Amino acid sequence: MLKTKASSPAVLILAAGLGKRMRSPLPKVLHEIGGSPLLFHILRKVRDVAPDSSVAVVVGYGREQVEARVRGAEEFSRMKISFVHQTEQRGTGHAARCAMDSPWGEAVLKAKSPVLVLPGDLPLLSQELVTQMLAPFGRTDAMRLLTCALPDPTGYGRIVRRGTSGPVLRIVEEKDATEREKELREVAASIYLFQAAFMRYALQRLKNKNAQGEYYLTDLVAAAAGAKKRIDVLKWKPADDLRGVNDPWELALAGRLLNERTVRRVSLGGVKIIDPSNTWIDGTVRVEEGAVIHPGAILAGATVVAAGAVIGPRVVLKDVTVGKDATIKTGTVAEASVIGEKAQVGPYAHLRPESLVGEAAKIGNFVELKKARIGAHTSVAHLSYLGDAEVGRDVNIGCGFVTCNFDGRIIDGKRKHRTIIEDEVFMGSDCQTVAPVRVGRGAYVASGSTITEDVESEALAIARCRQVNKPGVARRLRGK
Ligand code: UD1
Ligand code: CA
């Protein structure tokens, strides 16, 4: 049974629309900026300001997908989130009504909780805005309405007041507005706080006589004004907070704004960012004081960059941990890997998932690692592939080395075989090891060898044909 304390507010998030203007089959609220779905940005603000609130998310289009994404997110696991199904998208007022008529709404009414309504497509809402919207109601307030003056109000519902600055009378949608109403700059952001009983009462009486034939939540303003109820108006200044996402262009703009906020925060935390307008950092990334980030870097997911590390130009890191004083050079791409302290990686290295580069190790240009552990002080300096490999410390891998980890067969249910190269091995240039195979500690492998059998510790392995020089044969061949 849902329970709502009178002290903790209820929050209603509208997220059932397809978002036609996105021209995409993905539900609008699952489109991502800063590495997270639009809906997550809103849920985070609610979690940070009112962690105990009883939250309802109205879902409809693609609801299985939306629900699965939210339920699968560990960061929201301690919130009280219910999903309300709006089977047909008949407008924001209809969506709100579905919620108020649901068991969640019954509990909210019973608890007399004020209901904060947030649309699912305003990802840049600030914590401050949510805090101020949730401030306790005055004794006679039926609702609180957030408005904002925009230089370009196109697309938003306009606030119609008595006279120019008298009390609010109603909200008119762009599609229903007269030319004169369209000139009004003060807009509604779809953010309200309602007294629950008034909300339900007014929602049940909504009409859909408008250009879109929809039930508009905005019409609750006229309902309150008409019934001489008090409307508390919160005028919001930073217009960016209210930037809605309705089409791919707005998604891009919101993404850029969010990124600017994140990059600014990281920079003020003591990180040297050479070109803020050309650096992308997800909100979930952590960069420690004293790191340097060069232009074109993209840091995503759960990436952590330690103090003193240098992230070179056009480096892409997703879920990567970069150790203290490590250097990641130009054009390196890494995912779900760990790079040790003082290690050097790149330029143009590729670390595929589950790779681990040890302390002060060196991974040079055009080296690809996949599920490879590279020990401390080991060098893989040029043009190599190491997959499913374990390489010890102080190993030198020459140029053009390849672990042949897949032979087309399946052994013990495994397709890929492991290569083990123990500490202090010297691998000459242009060698291959055919897995499963082990090269023992301190062994030498001669250049151009194809190693198919284990090499014991301290041995020299040569696995290539002996050279034959045939005097004069070249001249003869040329003569033909
Ligand atoms: C809405 C407001 C408009 C305001 C603008 C600000 C209405 C009628 N209009 O317009 O005044 O200026 O937001 O961002 O409220 N949704 C549902 N079910 C539906 C319809 C919509 O859950 O049946 C959800 C959508 O998924 C979306 C949110 O409600 O997250 C807003 O819907 P949208 O169609 O984007 O409304 P706007 O046209 O932006
Ligand atoms: Ca919208």
Side-chain angles (χ1 to χ4, degrees), residues 49 175 187 354 364 396 402 418 444:
V49 175
K175 289 193 175 126
V187 305
E354 295 180 49
N396 184 78
V402 175
R418 294 195 65 74
Y444 268 52

PDB file of all heavy atoms in Angstrom, residues 49 175 187 354 364 396 402 418 444:
ATOM      1  N   VAL A  49      16.349  16.872  -3.769  1.00  0.00           N
ATOM      2  CA  VAL A  49      15.606  17.862  -2.985  1.00  0.00           C
ATOM      3  C   VAL A  49      14.602  17.203  -2.040  1.00  0.00           C
ATOM      4  O   VAL A  49      14.462  17.610  -0.901  1.00  0.00           O
ATOM      5  CB  VAL A  49      14.871  18.861  -3.923  1.00  0.00           C
ATOM      6  CG1 VAL A  49      13.997  19.815  -3.119  1.00  0.00           C
ATOM      7  CG2 VAL A  49      15.882  19.638  -4.768  1.00  0.00           C
ATOM      8  N   LYS A 175      -0.928  27.100 -30.045  1.00  0.00           N
ATOM      9  CA  LYS A 175      -1.832  26.741 -31.141  1.00  0.00           C
ATOM     10  C   LYS A 175      -3.223  27.357 -31.011  1.00  0.00           C
ATOM     11  O   LYS A 175      -3.986  27.384 -31.969  1.00  0.00           O
ATOM     12  CB  LYS A 175      -1.958  25.224 -31.246  1.00  0.00           C
ATOM     13  CG  LYS A 175      -0.670  24.599 -31.769  1.00  0.00           C
ATOM     14  CD  LYS A 175      -0.871  23.155 -32.176  1.00  0.00           C
ATOM     15  CE  LYS A 175       0.392  22.601 -32.807  1.00  0.00           C
ATOM     16  NZ  LYS A 175       0.876  21.371 -32.170  1.00  0.00           N
ATOM     17  N   VAL A 187       5.772  32.942 -20.074  1.00  0.00           N
ATOM     18  CA  VAL A 187       5.286  31.615 -20.471  1.00  0.00           C
ATOM     19  C   VAL A 187       5.145  30.688 -19.269  1.00  0.00           C
ATOM     20  O   VAL A 187       5.702  30.932 -18.195  1.00  0.00           O
ATOM     21  CB  VAL A 187       6.234  30.952 -21.494  1.00  0.00           C
ATOM     22  CG1 VAL A 187       6.441  31.843 -22.703  1.00  0.00           C
ATOM     23  CG2 VAL A 187       7.565  30.574 -20.844  1.00  0.00           C
ATOM     24  N   GLU A 354      37.491  -4.490 -20.097  1.00  0.00           N
ATOM     25  CA  GLU A 354      38.204  -5.373 -19.166  1.00  0.00           C
ATOM     26  C   GLU A 354      39.696  -5.408 -19.397  1.00  0.00           C
ATOM     27  O   GLU A 354      40.336  -6.448 -19.204  1.00  0.00           O
ATOM     28  CB  GLU A 354      37.611  -6.791 -19.213  1.00  0.00           C
ATOM     29  CG  GLU A 354      36.177  -6.842 -18.720  1.00  0.00           C
ATOM     30  CD  GLU A 354      35.615  -8.246 -18.764  1.00  0.00           C
ATOM     31  OE1 GLU A 354      36.281  -9.165 -18.276  1.00  0.00           O
ATOM     32  OE2 GLU A 354      34.508  -8.400 -19.322  1.00  0.00           O
ATOM     33  N   GLY A 364      51.700   1.842 -26.635  1.00  0.00           N
ATOM     34  CA  GLY A 364      51.987   2.854 -27.656  1.00  0.00           C
ATOM     35  C   GLY A 364      50.962   2.923 -28.777  1.00  0.00           C
ATOM     36  O   GLY A 364      49.821   2.457 -28.645  1.00  0.00           O
ATOM     37  N   ASN A 396      58.935  -6.707 -22.201  1.00  0.00           N
ATOM     38  CA  ASN A 396      59.038  -5.866 -23.395  1.00  0.00           C
ATOM     39  C   ASN A 396      58.420  -6.618 -24.565  1.00  0.00           C
ATOM     40  O   ASN A 396      58.861  -7.717 -24.914  1.00  0.00           O
ATOM     41  CB  ASN A 396      60.490  -5.534 -23.707  1.00  0.00           C
ATOM     42  CG  ASN A 396      60.555  -4.579 -24.889  1.00  0.00           C
ATOM     43  OD1 ASN A 396      60.328  -3.395 -24.759  1.00  0.00           O
ATOM     44  ND2 ASN A 396      60.812  -5.125 -26.074  1.00  0.00           N
ATOM     45  N   VAL A 402      51.151 -10.222 -31.954  1.00  0.00           N
ATOM     46  CA  VAL A 402      49.730 -10.589 -31.984  1.00  0.00           C
ATOM     47  C   VAL A 402      49.475 -11.815 -31.121  1.00  0.00           C
ATOM     48  O   VAL A 402      50.161 -12.827 -31.260  1.00  0.00           O
ATOM     49  CB  VAL A 402      49.265 -10.886 -33.433  1.00  0.00           C
ATOM     50  CG1 VAL A 402      47.819 -11.381 -33.446  1.00  0.00           C
ATOM     51  CG2 VAL A 402      49.414  -9.667 -34.325  1.00  0.00           C
ATOM     52  N   ARG A 418      43.512 -18.233 -23.674  1.00  0.00           N
ATOM     53  CA  ARG A 418      44.339 -17.279 -22.944  1.00  0.00           C
ATOM     54  C   ARG A 418      45.815 -17.397 -23.277  1.00  0.00           C
ATOM     55  O   ARG A 418      46.334 -18.483 -23.517  1.00  0.00           O
ATOM     56  CB  ARG A 418      44.153 -17.458 -21.443  1.00  0.00           C
ATOM     57  CG  ARG A 418      42.758 -17.098 -20.965  1.00  0.00           C
ATOM     58  CD  ARG A 418      42.710 -16.931 -19.465  1.00  0.00           C
ATOM     59  NE  ARG A 418      43.513 -15.791 -19.034  1.00  0.00           N
ATOM     60  CZ  ARG A 418      43.150 -14.526 -19.207  1.00  0.00           C
ATOM     61  NH1 ARG A 418      42.021 -14.235 -19.797  1.00  0.00           N
ATOM     62  NH2 ARG A 418      43.930 -13.554 -18.779  1.00  0.00           N
ATOM     63  N   TYR A 444      63.223 -15.398 -23.667  1.00  0.00           N
ATOM     64  CA  TYR A 444      63.416 -14.553 -24.837  1.00  0.00           C
ATOM     65  C   TYR A 444      62.707 -15.217 -26.005  1.00  0.00           C
ATOM     66  O   TYR A 444      62.824 -16.428 -26.189  1.00  0.00           O
ATOM     67  CB  TYR A 444      64.909 -14.451 -25.193  1.00  0.00           C
ATOM     68  CG  TYR A 444      65.621 -13.289 -24.557  1.00  0.00           C
ATOM     69  CD1 TYR A 444      65.546 -13.072 -23.181  1.00  0.00           C
ATOM     70  CD2 TYR A 444      66.384 -12.417 -25.335  1.00  0.00           C
ATOM     71  CE1 TYR A 444      66.217 -12.006 -22.605  1.00  0.00           C
ATOM     72  CE2 TYR A 444      67.062 -11.354 -24.764  1.00  0.00           C
ATOM     73  CZ  TYR A 444      66.974 -11.141 -23.397  1.00  0.00           C
ATOM     74  OH  TYR A 444      67.628 -10.100 -22.832  1.00  0.00           O
TER      75      TYR A 444
END
